[in-house]
């Protein structure tokens, strides 16, 4: 029987993809495990980035992430859902976010994983402050992210 | 008292992360709270006038006409950029 477990964590420390994978992939009723990892990349809008600091709204963040996980469950038959988002300062190449979803079939798992990251980027109260060669600047919200989240609107 | 929080650029530009505002009859919505805070001085007026400013009442992103009362937590912040 599926356990239908959701795990939401906001933390400063790094996470281990193999460990998180093992935790969600242990149920033989699931044929599909889809994971996504977001990393700190070395550029944004053509400028070099040296590190990234993530601020969040404690309390509200966890509540929004749980709501997003619940909404994903209402849309697709999911078993395990894990969302881990880091806060604080991260260097180039470091992991920022982990999304892991399991389901009996791949289509639900792929769709739910994409939905979760699209919604997280536009609904969860996290803000990125990038440091580059010319100083620090807050990352502007992208219309493309808003459009991606809107694609999931139910008509 | 209304507990008011500021995040990201809004926090940085105002130089405040949290303030307490006395609940008065004048403050009956997120919009009127914003107006009262914006009237503090030119800097507050400018930062809080941003058309991209978002408001959360009791940790839920809300419309500007959302009711605000004594004991509420109200947060002002720019569009989110996590992930």
């Amino acid at each position: 029987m599926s356990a239908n477990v959701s795990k939401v964590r906001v933390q400063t420390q790094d996470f281990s993809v193999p460990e998180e994978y093992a935790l969600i992939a242990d149920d033989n009723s699931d044929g599909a495990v889809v994971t996504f990892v977001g990393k700190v990349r070395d550029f944004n809008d053509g400028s070099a980035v040296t590190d990234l600091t993530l601020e969040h709204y404690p309390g509200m963040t966890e509540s929004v992430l749980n709501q997003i996980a619940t909404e994903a469950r209402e849309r697709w038959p999911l078993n395990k859902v894990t969302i881990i988002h880091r806060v604080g300062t991260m260097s180039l190449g470091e992991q920022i976010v982990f999304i892991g979803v399991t389901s009996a079939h791949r289509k639900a798992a792929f769709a739910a994983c994409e939905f979760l990251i699209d919604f997280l980027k536009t609904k969860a109260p996290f803000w990125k402050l990038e440091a580059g060669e010319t100083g620090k600047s807050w990352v502007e919200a992208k219309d493309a992210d808003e459009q991606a989240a809107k694609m999931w609107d139910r008509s | 008292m209304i507990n008011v929080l500021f995040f990201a650029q809004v926090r940085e530009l105002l130089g405040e992360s949290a303030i307490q505002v006395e609940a008065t009859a004048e403050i009956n919505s997120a919009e009127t709270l914003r107006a009262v805070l914006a009237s503090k001085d030119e800097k507050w007026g400018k930062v809080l006038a941003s058309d991209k400013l978002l408001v959360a009442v009791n940790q839920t992103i809300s419309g500007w006409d959302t009711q605000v009362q004594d004991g509420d937590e109200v947060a002002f912040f720019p569009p989110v950029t996590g992930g």
Side-chain angles (χ1 to χ4, degrees):
Chain A
M1 280 297 289
S2 294
N4 293 327
V5 179
S6 291
K7 180 172 86 175
V8 164
R9 286 211 316 256
V10 179
Q11 61 190 39
T12 52
Q13 70 269 30
D14 197 9
F15 50 82
S16 157
V17 174
E19 276 175 31
E20 297 304 330
Y21 174 84
L23 285 170
I24 57 172
D26 67 347
D27 191 328
N28 291 336
S29 66
D30 289 325
V33 181
V34 172
T35 63
F36 170 82
V37 174
K39 293 170 66 223
V40 181
R41 63 164 184 238
D42 64 1
F43 70 95
N44 191 29
D45 291 336
S47 306
V49 171
T50 52
D51 69 50
L52 185 72
T53 301
L54 266 139
E55 178 173 331
H56 80 123
Y57 181 171
M60 179 173 168
T61 313
E62 292 81 354
S63 139
V64 169
L65 294 180
N66 277 304
Q67 282 164 27
I68 293 170
T70 301
E71 190 164 343
R73 290 191 180 286
E74 286 166 7
R75 290 170 179 243
W76 296 280
L78 306 177
N79 182 7
K80 310 277 183 72
V81 174
T82 295
I83 306 173
I84 301 172
H85 205 297
R86 291 178 67 200
V87 292
T89 300
M90 282 155 253
S91 306
L92 292 183
E94 281 199 62
Q95 304 177 137
I96 306 170
V97 61
F98 175 90
I99 309 246
V101 176
T102 76
S103 182
H105 303 290
R106 74 181 186 282
K107 281 195 174 175
F110 270 126
C113 187
E114 193 169 13
F115 167 88
L116 287 167
I117 191 67
D118 282 347
F119 261 53
L120 183 153
K121 285 187 87 78
T122 53
K123 314 276 187 230
F126 292 104
W127 299 274
K128 282 177 178 157
L129 179 66
E130 281 177 347
E133 284 148 357
T134 53
K136 292 187 173 182
S137 61
W138 291 96
V139 174
E140 296 270 328
K142 290 189 179 67
D143 287 344
D145 289 338
E146 194 61 46
Q147 290 305 318
K150 282 213 174 86
M151 274 174 33
W152 298 101
D153 281 355
R154 290 189 252 213
S155 50
Chain B
M1 287 295 197
I2 298 164
N3 195 26
V4 184
L5 306 176
F6 306 103
F7 291 98
Q9 295 101 311
V10 176
R11 169 185 57 69
E12 198 173 76
L13 291 168
L14 295 178
E16 297 274 8
S17 56
I19 60 166
Q20 298 252 304
V21 175
E22 195 169 347
T24 61
E26 187 188 355
I27 299 171
N28 55 18
S29 67
E31 181 59 56
T32 51
L33 174 63
R34 163 155 94 161
V36 164
L37 293 170
S39 67
K40 273 167 83 96
D41 65 27
E42 196 181 334
K43 180 176 78 179
W44 284 65
K46 196 174 163 194
V47 173
L48 296 175
S50 166
D51 59 3
K52 289 190 169 172
L53 190 75
L54 298 177
V55 63
V57 178
N58 296 326
Q59 304 195 345
T60 302
I61 290 188
S62 304
W64 289 102
D65 58 353
T66 303
Q67 198 185 345
V68 166
Q69 59 193 14
D70 194 30
D72 282 348
E73 178 176 292
V74 181
F76 295 96
F77 47 78
V80 306
T81 55

